[in-house]
Amino acid sequence: MSTVSRAADRIESVPFLTRDDASLLLVLPGLFVFSAFMLFPVLYLLGISFTNAEPANLFAGEGVVAVLTFGDALFVGLENYADVLTDGQFWNSFGVTWLFVATSVTLKIGASLAIALVVTSDLVRGKRVLRSLIIFPMGLPPIFTITVWRGIFSSAEFGLMNQLLTAFGASSVAWLSGRWTAFVAYNVTEAWLAYPFMVIITVSALQDVPEELHEAAVVDGAGFLARFAHITLPSIKRPVLFASILTSAASFQQFLIPFVFNQGGPARANELIVVYGYREALSFQQYGRGAAISIIALVFIGAFMWLNVKKGKLADGVND
């Protein structure tokens, strides 16, 4: 008998408790933790988004009750959402964010698939060592990695990327001062941060592809590209799609890269939506607007993930 079953039997032995009640009591600790650290903050954020909260009024009064009731902040209904949705900067951030998601995920999938094919090839020796080196970036703090990449893309002559350009006879580039050069720097750094996770998923998927299919295709005269297109890709499609959805959500919520590089510049041109919400809430001290931006972002990323899971049929068989 499992530990959970024994615990349920003990609880059920208490008078007035049925087995259903016992099962509910067993999940209460998890529900409490979820509510305290996930559900309550989201609901509190939703409440703030309907007020004119700012530092002067949100924390007015004394005690926890004053904070939970939003202090002296006034209910303004949908005013914050109307202001945000009519703000040109919001739509710029919204568009740049989705463009960043599209380009960074494409780059991550392409690079990860190429690396995974190399480290699973029979022609490569020392694959275990290579796989260990590939996941090494996962052990580094993201802020450390991003700071290093900021130095690599430094606009100064001593920046590593500019030194490479100079070595090949090209002129140096002010990477973080131009909109699209900074956007490229964001993408490269995001790909470096996420590729270990993508490679792990892709390698696992590649190892599950039946070798007999490749052998039969070779006998039929299929080349590498034909086998890749008709055997490898269909076999690894679902795991790679699942990993892509997860890393898309991470890209949508990316904050550290644009903020550390140039705070979403130049002139807020590359301000991703999370940076935009942060700036409105903390730089301009408009907590209500910042909360509304966060809720809008949450709705869009939730809808994006649900649509991809549904269209990709990733939940098939869950209720079987």
Side-chain angles (χ1 to χ4, degrees):
M1 184 182 293
S2 67
T3 303
V4 174
S5 298
R6 288 196 298 270
D9 290 338
R10 292 194 189 99
I11 295 174
E12 187 181 3
S13 64
V14 178
F16 310 112
L17 285 180
T18 65
R19 192 169 185 84
D20 290 339
D21 296 330
S23 301
L24 178 61
L25 289 176
L26 289 174
V27 301
L28 280 179
L31 289 175
F32 173 77
V33 172
F34 174 79
S35 299
F37 294 99
M38 295 291 293
L39 185 60
F40 173 74
V42 172
L43 293 177
Y44 191 73
L45 187 71
L46 180 63
I48 291 177
S49 70
F50 294 114
T51 69
N52 65 342
E54 56 186 35
N57 58 32
L58 181 61
F59 303 111
E62 298 181 357
V64 177
V65 175
V67 175
L68 294 179
T69 55
F70 312 122
D72 292 336
L74 301 176
F75 179 78
V76 295
L78 298 176
E79 181 179 325
N80 290 322
Y81 291 92
D83 289 344
V84 169
L85 293 175
T86 54
D87 184 5
Q89 184 58 38
F90 168 79
W91 292 108
N92 175 75
S93 298
F94 186 77
V96 170
T97 300
W98 282 114
L99 179 62
F100 175 71
V101 170
T103 53
S104 66
V105 171
T106 301
L107 179 60
K108 284 182 280 190
I109 293 174
S112 302
L113 185 57
I115 295 171
L117 288 173
V118 170
V119 299
T120 56
S121 173
D122 293 332
L123 302 176
V124 176
R125 294 185 177 182
K127 289 183 283 190
R128 291 185 178 180
V129 176
L130 287 176
R131 292 176 189 178
S132 300
L133 293 176
I134 285 170
I135 65 174
F136 177 74
M138 295 182 70
L140 299 175
I143 186 64
F144 170 79
T145 305
I146 293 169
T147 303
V148 171
W149 277 100
R150 185 183 188 279
I152 292 174
F153 283 105
S154 172
S155 300
E157 294 290 340
F158 58 77
L160 179 59
M161 196 61 66
N162 278 336
Q163 289 190 38
L164 290 175
L165 290 176
T166 303
F168 285 98
S171 57
S172 59
V173 175
W175 290 97
L176 303 182
S177 299
R179 179 177 189 179
W180 298 115
T181 52
F183 189 78
V184 169
Y186 292 180
N187 275 266
V188 173
T189 307
E190 169 74 1
W192 175 265
L193 289 172
Y195 90 87
F197 167 75
M198 293 290 295
V199 169
I200 291 172
I201 300 297
T202 308
V203 167
S204 300
L206 287 172
Q207 290 176 333
D208 289 336
V209 179
E211 188 63 30
E212 295 79 7
L213 294 178
H214 285 284
E215 293 174 353
V218 171
V219 171
D220 291 338
F224 172 79
L225 292 179
R227 298 198 307 274
F228 178 76
H230 298 289
I231 297 176
T232 303
L233 279 183
S235 300
I236 68 173
K237 179 178 67 175
R238 287 168 67 90
V240 172
L241 178 59
F242 174 73
S244 300
I245 293 173
L246 293 181
T247 194
S248 296
S251 296
F252 188 89
Q253 301 170 70
Q254 183 57 249
F255 171 81
L256 284 177
I257 292 176
F259 192 79
V260 171
F261 272 34
N262 56 2
Q263 297 188 356
R268 305 182 70 179
N270 287 327
E271 195 174 67
L272 302 186
I273 195 164
V274 178
V275 180
Y276 171 62
Y278 170 87
R279 192 187 297 272
E280 291 293 324
L282 298 182
S283 297
F284 302 142
Q285 299 187 343
Q286 298 296 317
Y287 289 176
R289 281 175 60 89
I293 294 165
S294 298
I295 293 297
I296 292 172
L298 183 64
V299 169
F300 274 105
I301 192 59
F304 170 78
M305 295 188 69
W306 176 83
L307 183 63
N308 278 276
V309 169
K310 184 176 178 62
K311 293 298 183 181
K313 300 180 180 179
L314 298 180
D316 285 1
V318 171
N319 296 322
D320 292 346

